Amino acid sequence: MNDSHSSSSDPASLAATDQNVGRSRRNGNGDQTPATDIPRHWHDIFWLGVFLCHLTGLAFALAVLGLNRFKKSDRFNFDRYTTNITGTVGNSHGLTEDYWPMYGLGGGVGTVLGWAWLLLLGFQADHMMKISVHILTTYLAVVSVLCFWSDHFFWGVTFAIGAALQFLYVISVIDRLPFTMLVLRKAVKMVWSLPEVMRVSYAFMLVMLLWMGLWSFGAAGVVASNINLSGRWWLLVVLSLSLFWTGAVLCNTVHVIVSGMVFLVLIHGGQEAASLPPNSLMKSLRYSVTKSFGSICYGSLFTAAIRTLRWEIRGLRSKIGKNECLLCCVDFLFHLVETLVRFFNKYAYVQIAVHGKSFNRSARDAWELFQSTGVEAIVAYDCSGAVLLMVTLLGGLITGTSSGVWTHIKWDDDRVTMVGSTAMLMGMALVGLAMVVVESAVTSIYICYAEDPLLIHRWDAEFFNKLSEALHQRLQHRSSRAREVLTQNRLNVGMQENAPL
């Protein structure tokens, strides 16, 4: 059986390999020197300024909001202003220190989950990923039931819809999971061969934890304030959006650092290679937090939302069938999102790390590279980003549940959902900082494979063959679908021409 399998897969691998070698001919012997030593310039400085101003202003606002009700109710007499603005004032909800420990618990749980998950991936990557994919639906459903049981109808419906969407998405991509797990295993292998990038992730998690100490101080002050219910929720939404952006910036900074290191290791043939530049990690870190930081801030605003929307539309599009009206609407959304992806995609961070380009140029160059080489076919087929997002969501849900349950023990009102939902976002940011290390390795592998496939062959020949076979199969699949559409269109035109008037 093994012989027959190898004989059937060899032609596909050889065909894809021939195509890959053709792409590598521009490099001569296959070795390519990355543009890591070219002069670097500052890019997207406007967005760097916006992010730093936002961070400075928010830090001041958070300190004021927290101190206003820290050990003393309404220290700065804010109640008179909120009464004039809203016309009403809510009931007293305690002090900042009543809620700050709940957020402290959330930060601790999120940090432990992130560290533990990153460590366990090195030993049982397959099992950890499969557990995350399948347990998330169950966990969402259980949280939904608990919300209904505690009379939080809105949140019960929200989590029920989330569970249904998660289930439908997993069903729609179930055939892609074996290939996805293969890519993730190799990414984890790469990351574990570079312990210094693991330490970078841990360090940035500590930085995020320190920022969350101030953020949660202000959020606890908002929950404890006398502002009416809708006013407190609006303030928490604004703070949550800020935390999302800050978390995304830190995650993508790690992404750039790790991508630069992985790319260098693949280019030079291993971490022990004599040609590997000294202090590569520190150089990558310095570029990421200085000249490339504006591009990271800019991309972090849009990338996550666009790619999440793209995953959902792709999953829906593959399961529509022959409903032409619905397919037409989804195709419109699909092409709109594909246009946005051309300018906002996670592969831009590899180009930023290696070539020091601006974000939009990096995203466009990465996408054109995938389109011109055909690698976009397996990039679209791969679900590793979605699987890692599921891990992040699961970590956030566990964190939010921990803080929410503690709050529920002390108070059984809207404060439970306020603390639980914001603590969930904290957990997602912390676990996301752990998962982005693996995602960085995945994006770097695809960029290297598109630029020079022999780099992957030199690193892992077996993985190269499987990747080449998958590329060949996906290109054949797309060609057959294009032929089917063309044949169907011709039949439709012929039937219309022969129809009696």
Side-chain angles (χ1 to χ4, degrees):
M1 182 177 293
N2 292 336
D3 293 337
S4 64
H5 179 271
S6 61
S7 64
S8 63
S9 62
D10 284 345
S13 299
L14 288 172
T17 303
D18 291 339
Q19 181 188 24
N20 294 335
V21 172
R23 298 207 308 267
S24 300
R25 285 174 184 162
R26 72 181 190 278
N27 300 319
N29 61 356
D31 293 331
Q32 181 184 359
T33 302
T36 52
D37 297 326
I38 62 173
R40 301 258 175 166
H41 303 287
W42 291 84
H43 293 290
D44 301 310
I45 299 176
F46 171 77
W47 292 102
L48 172 61
V50 170
F51 179 75
L52 292 179
C53 290
H54 140 265
L55 213 60
T56 304
L58 187 72
F60 176 76
L62 289 169
V64 170
L65 288 170
L67 287 171
N68 185 52
R69 302 192 70 84
F70 184 69
K71 295 186 180 299
K72 180 181 178 181
S73 179
D74 199 26
R75 184 188 304 272
F76 302 124
N77 296 320
F78 283 167
D79 285 352
R80 59 180 178 177
Y81 299 111
T82 56
T83 303
N84 291 335
I85 293 172
T86 63
T88 59
V89 65
N91 298 321
S92 177
H93 298 104
L95 301 173
T96 299
E97 56 265 33
D98 294 334
Y99 305 95
W100 205 15
M102 284 83 170
Y103 285 114
L105 173 65
V109 170
T111 304
V112 170
L113 284 174
W115 284 356
W117 217 270
L118 200 54
L119 287 173
L120 289 172
L121 280 178
F123 302 102
Q124 296 290 338
D126 263 10
H127 294 300
M128 297 303 297
M129 294 299 177
K130 289 176 182 177
I131 288 172
S132 303
V133 169
H134 295 296
I135 204 173
L136 181 58
T137 305
T138 306
Y139 200 97
L140 285 167
V142 170
V143 172
S144 173
V145 171
L146 291 175
C147 289
F148 283 123
W149 177 67
S150 58
D151 296 327
H152 295 292
F153 181 78
F154 171 79
W155 291 104
V157 172
T158 300
F159 284 114
I161 292 173
L165 291 175
Q166 164 68 8
F167 177 76
L168 291 173
Y169 178 77
V170 172
I171 293 299
S172 68
V173 299
I174 197 74
D175 58 324
R176 306 184 194 179
L177 292 181
F179 175 75
T180 297
M181 293 303 171
L182 169 67
V183 175
L184 287 172
R185 277 198 306 272
K186 297 303 178 180
V188 171
K189 171 189 171 183
M190 171 61 77
V191 168
W192 269 79
S193 69
L194 300 170
E196 59 267 32
V197 303
M198 304 275 283
R199 290 194 288 269
V200 167
S201 177
Y202 294 146
F204 270 77
M205 286 175 71
L206 288 177
V207 171
M208 189 69 202
L209 201 58
L210 290 173
W211 172 252
M212 283 182 175
L214 176 60
W215 186 90
S216 59
F217 183 67
V222 171
V223 177
S225 68
N226 283 355
I227 304 174
N228 59 24
L229 182 62
S230 61
R232 282 183 292 155
W233 268 116
W234 275 112
L235 278 175
L236 288 176
V237 167
V238 171
L239 294 182
S240 297
L241 290 174
S242 169
L243 183 63
F244 178 82
W245 189 19
T246 306
V249 167
L250 289 180
C251 281
N252 291 326
T253 303
V254 175
H255 195 152
V256 170
I257 296 169
V258 177
S259 296
M261 277 301 300
V262 171
F263 200 92
L264 277 176
V265 169
L266 290 173
I267 285 287
H268 291 278
Q271 190 180 9
E272 295 79 17
S275 59
L276 191 68
N279 300 321
S280 301
L281 180 65
M282 293 308 299
K283 287 181 181 178
S284 184
L285 175 61
R286 185 172 72 251
Y287 289 140
S288 300
V289 298
T290 53
K291 296 182 179 180
S292 298
F293 196 61
S295 299
I296 294 171
C297 296
Y298 174 44
S300 300
L301 266 176
F302 308 104
T303 307
I306 291 173
R307 73 174 167 173
T308 303
L309 183 61
R310 184 170 182 254
W311 289 332
E312 295 295 338
I313 291 176
R314 276 189 177 275
L316 179 62
R317 190 170 179 253
S318 64
K319 297 298 177 183
I320 285 178
K322 296 183 178 180
N323 189 326
E324 293 185 3
C325 180
L326 186 57
L327 184 61
C328 180
C329 296
V330 172
D331 271 345
F332 171 77
L333 292 175
F334 177 75
H335 290 301
L336 177 63
V337 171
E338 287 294 300
T339 303
L340 293 175
V341 166
R342 183 181 177 87
F343 298 99
F344 298 97
N345 60 72
K346 61 183 179 181
Y347 303 96
Y349 298 114
V350 184
Q351 298 278 357
I352 291 172
V354 177
H355 303 293
K357 303 174 184 177
S358 65
F359 182 82
N360 281 143
R361 184 183 172 191
S362 297
R364 186 175 63 251
D365 288 351
W367 203 246
E368 288 177 355
L369 176 65
F370 287 153
Q371 294 281 353
S372 63
T373 57
V375 174
E376 191 270 335
I378 52 173
V379 169
Y381 187 69
D382 177 31
C383 300
S384 57
V387 171
L388 293 174
L389 178 61
M390 292 175 196
V391 177
T392 303
L393 285 172
L394 182 60
L397 283 168
I398 295 173
T399 302
T401 303
S402 303
S403 298
V405 168
W406 188 8
T407 309
H408 181 75
I409 293 172
K410 298 187 69 174
W411 304 283
D412 186 14
D413 54 21
D414 290 301
R415 286 173 285 187
V416 176
T417 53
M418 286 182 180
V419 174
S421 58
T422 46
M424 174 183 166
L425 187 60
M426 290 173 61
M428 287 178 62
L430 290 166
V431 176
L433 276 167
M435 293 300 101
V436 75
V437 177
V438 181
E439 188 169 26
S440 303
V442 173
T443 55
S444 300
I445 287 170
Y446 280 130
I447 290 288
C448 281
Y449 184 69
E451 289 201 353
D452 185 358
L454 295 181
L455 296 174
I456 304 299
H457 184 273
R458 184 171 56 184
W459 173 57
D460 191 325
E462 181 184 359
F463 177 55
F464 168 80
N465 290 332
K466 291 180 178 178
L467 207 58
S468 300
E469 182 181 352
L471 175 59
H472 181 70
Q473 290 174 352
R474 295 313 303 167
L475 291 175
Q476 280 189 329
H477 175 72
R478 288 192 171 186
S479 298
S480 63
R481 286 190 61 183
R483 284 195 297 270
E484 288 177 5
V485 171
L486 183 60
T487 303
Q488 185 63 40
N489 289 341
R490 286 175 177 173
L491 288 173
N492 291 338
V493 171
M495 291 175 63
Q496 291 176 0
E497 290 177 350
N498 296 328
L501 296 176

